Amino acid sequence: MTQAPQKEAPQKDPVSADATGAYAIVEASGQQFWLQPDRYLDLDRLNADVDSTVTLENVLLVKDASGTTLGQPYVAGATVELKVMAHRRGQKIIVYKMRPKKKTRRKNGHRQELTRVMVQSIKVGGKSIV
């Protein structure tokens, strides 16, 4: 009995960065985010005005053309500059609580307060990596 040759599935690259390949993983709002220059993301509401600049210093990992720098727990001298674009609210989430056989029902909604930021630069030791 012979088996038909199996075709290998094409290998997918892991999440790839843009053409420069530079990115940073930072800790903000109690979560970890993958940041690339000139991309935007939504963070929990920051106490900053629109068009102001926010600097994150809790950088866990930086990858650039020269290699990868991993922090223990943070990379020394690494910062990420973010420009605040707008303050927004997330999607509505419905929270429904019910106790069976007790005629108790409660329906609540929640919309998370968010800040949309644009990544301006990633710096290590005061020098931009892009």
Side-chain angles (χ1 to χ4, degrees):
M1 193 182 254
T2 60
Q3 292 181 347
Q6 295 179 351
K7 294 182 181 178
E8 291 185 24
Q11 295 289 332
K12 290 185 178 181
D13 292 338
V15 179
S16 61
D18 56 354
T20 62
Y23 64 87
I25 297 177
V26 301
E27 184 180 308
S29 305
Q31 301 173 33
Q32 295 178 5
F33 295 96
W34 175 304
L35 301 179
Q36 295 174 313
D38 300 324
R39 300 240 176 140
Y40 70 88
L41 77 147
D42 293 332
L43 300 175
D44 285 345
R45 182 63 61 102
L46 298 174
N47 192 11
D49 296 328
V50 176
D51 292 330
S52 65
T53 303
V54 177
T55 303
L56 299 178
E57 296 177 355
N58 294 342
V59 180
L60 302 168
L61 179 138
V62 175
K63 181 183 179 305
D64 56 358
S66 63
T68 304
T69 306
L70 181 63
Q72 297 177 353
Y74 303 117
V75 178
T79 60
V80 176
E81 288 186 7
L82 307 172
K83 179 182 178 188
V84 177
M85 296 173 63
H87 295 294
R88 317 176 65 218
R89 296 180 76 195
Q91 268 190 317
K92 182 177 273 191
I93 297 171
I94 303 299
V95 180
Y96 189 76
K97 295 183 180 181
M98 182 187 95
R99 295 182 64 197
K101 302 177 202 164
K102 305 292 184 203
K103 293 187 180 178
T104 303
R105 287 159 177 77
R106 183 168 59 220
K107 182 177 178 180
N108 284 327
H110 174 76
R111 291 186 72 183
Q112 185 68 30
E113 301 285 328
L114 301 172
T115 299
R116 180 159 283 182
V117 295
M118 173 75 75
V119 180
Q120 288 188 318
S121 66
I122 301 170
K123 296 180 181 180
V124 178
K127 186 174 119 181
S128 182
I129 64 168
V130 178

